Structures are given as structure tokens and as C-alpha cells.
Amino acid sequence: MSNSYGKLFRITTFGESHGAAVGVIVDGCPAGIDITVEEIQHALDRRRPGQSNITTPRKEEDKVTILSGIFQGKTQGTPIAMVVNNKDQASHDYSHIEHAFRPSHADYTYTAKYGTRDYRGGGRSSARETVARVAAGALAAKMLQHYGITVAAYVSQVGSIKVQQEYTDLDLGQIDSNIVRCPHSDTASEMIKLIEDARDSLDTIGGVVSCVIKGVPAGLGEPVFDKLHAELGKAMLSINAVKGFEYGSGFEGVKMRGSQHNDQFFTDEAGNVRTKTNRSGGIQGGISNGQDIYFNVAFKPVATILQPQQTINDEGEEITLKGKGRHDPCVLPRAVPIVDAMAALVIADFLMRQKANKL
């Protein structure tokens, strides 16, 4: 079931980059969640192409159509089907790669696996598929709001330019205040200049999206193999162009000793169990401990560049290939709502699983 994710709150996505449409079926969404098409559309508008001069100029309105499962603004407990039509495909931009294997793309691996591939925009391997995830994630996020759980992803690094402040010192309400979706304005300006420089050089640049999940109750997670951080990692690594995932102290934690790294427990004035520090990233033993969950997701530079590169064709012959078409010089700004969506889907699924686990 490589096109499905989740155990109880389960999604199945379908469609290709240059096919007629992309869409999603959400199964297991509880009845009674208040949701409007405008709320789902807002999430899709944050992901859609053509929204600024540092994203692809492909013009897709990404208007969502709800086919089933929502009536009079409420989920019905039945399968929810949503579809977004593709309109601005420009498939002719990809005719030159019909027989070529683009460097760092999935062209060769898809051909090796299936013996065929849709070369128009990468077909199913295209990030266009994430439209479906974002639509489903909007449903999950609305469900989480009912339990006081919020998800906030933001761009924390582009190339070597990095936000130096911890998320606790940032105003996450400012994420959408600039086109790069970084809640630190001075750093955002530097990031934008770097992306513009990469674009003007016919090149691309990567970076990091950080995410904070607040309000998660203690007890979410399934030992031993479905640990909460393992599922978050799987969800994030399933996003196109993701090359790394770390949560809590991550790789920096290896520099500490246990006496420095351990999160000491205490009981606050309201009788809640808390920790004095949160290097665990809100997860211990694969189960949430009630503290903020935070993690970083590393995105590689977009593989399509408008420069000549050496590669081979499907006959094994060496060729020179130059990218064409409309592509993001940096995927980070549009990746933010995708990280939001996948995080919400993971937590929604675990929340429902926990309710089934404990009387």
C-alpha cells in the first residue's frame, strides 16, 4: 500500500503531475468535525505554485472539489474524497527527457522498478502529488484543534543562512509575513536574496524546515516499531526532496554528556508533570511526554537546474541534458505547508489509536 498512509486516520493519494487531476481519499476521519472548503483551500493556497518570485511560475489555482464525506460543513464519518484538477501542465516542456535519465531524479529508479515511467513532470514521483497530502492535512489539523493541538512549520535555514534563535524565542505567528516563510524578518531577507541569486544563476538551493507541535498529550506512540518519532520521520522522509530528519536535540545532542542532556521531571503548580528542559523533543521511549514536539527536516536543492549536465539515456548512451520548463529555485517556502500536513496526519492517526488503546 505504497500510496496510503495511516492506520486509523488513513489517506490514499492518486494522480500524476501532468495527468488530469490529483486527489485523496481520507478514510477513518471522525464525524462531526466542522470544516469548510475555504479552510482546505487556504492550506492549498500556501502550497500552490506561482505565489511569489522565488517559486515556480507554473500557474495552478489548485481549486479543491469535495466529492464526498462532508455535508453542511461537517464530516460525516464516511470516506472523504477530494480532487484538484491540473490545468497548466505544459507537458511539451518535458519531451526532451522522454528517453533521458535526469541527474538526482527518479527517472532511472522508476524505470528500473516498473519498466516504464511517465516522463511528463516526473509523473507520480513529482511533488505535485503533495497537493493531496495538504488537502488531507487540513482535515487532520482541524480535528487536532478540537483537542488544543497546533502544528507550525517554518523555514529555519536556506543554504548556510540559518535562524540562530530557538523556536521558543520566535513569534511563530509571523511565519507567513514574508515569501520565504521564515518568522525572523532579518534572516528572511538574507534567505530571499540567496534564493534569488541561485535562480539568477540558473541553479537551486536547499535548506531546512523546522516544525513545532504544541498541545500533544502524554501517551501518544506505539512501542516498539511504531514509535511516534519513527512515524514522524517516515512521514517527513516520504516528502519529495527530503534528505534528513532529526527531533529534539538531534545530532547536536551527541556533544553532551548524560548529566547535561537528561530532561529532569517536576510537577508544576497545576499538578502537571513537566520537564525542566526538552532535549527529548517531547518524545521519550517513542511516546509523547506532553512537552512540545519539535523537529527539523532537511531538503536537498531542487534536482532540475537550467544548466547543461552529463547523464545517460535509456540506451545507456552518454548525453548532455539541460533542464527546461518552470521549476522552484528553492522548494522550502512551498514545503512548509506539506510538513504541516504530514505532521498533522501523524498526530491525528496516533490520537485515534490511543483512544482505541486505553479505556
Side-chain angles (χ1 to χ4, degrees), residues 120-200:
R120 304 167 304 166
R124 185 72 177 150
S125 69
S126 169
R128 183 79 185 143
E129 178 270 340
T130 60
V131 168
R133 306 187 195 201
V134 172
L139 281 172
K142 196 62 189 292
M143 171 183 156
L144 296 183
Q145 285 181 21
H146 178 75
Y147 295 95
I149 301 171
T150 60
V151 180
Y154 63 93
V155 174
S156 60
Q157 183 172 347
V158 174
S160 60
I161 299 172
K162 182 178 181 179
V163 176
Q164 299 302 319
Q165 291 79 0
E166 299 294 330
Y167 78 86
T168 51
D169 297 322
L170 297 171
D171 179 1
L172 300 184
Q174 296 299 308
I175 291 172
D176 284 322
S177 65
N178 54 72
I179 59 176
V180 78
R181 294 202 165 97
C182 171
H184 189 269
S185 59
D186 290 343
T187 308
S189 297
E190 294 182 49
M191 290 175 171
I192 293 169
K193 290 178 182 177
L194 181 58
I195 296 172
E196 290 174 338
D197 180 66
R199 179 199 62 202
D200 295 344

Side-chain angles (χ1 to χ4, degrees), residues 48 237 270:
R48 69 174 175 83
L237 289 164

Side-chain angles (χ1 to χ4, degrees), residues 225-245:
F225 295 108
D226 284 359
K227 289 181 169 67
L228 179 53
H229 61 271
E231 284 299 311
L232 283 168
K234 176 182 177 180
M236 298 306 145
L237 289 164
S238 74
I239 300 171
N240 307 61
V242 170
K243 302 298 286 185
F245 171 84

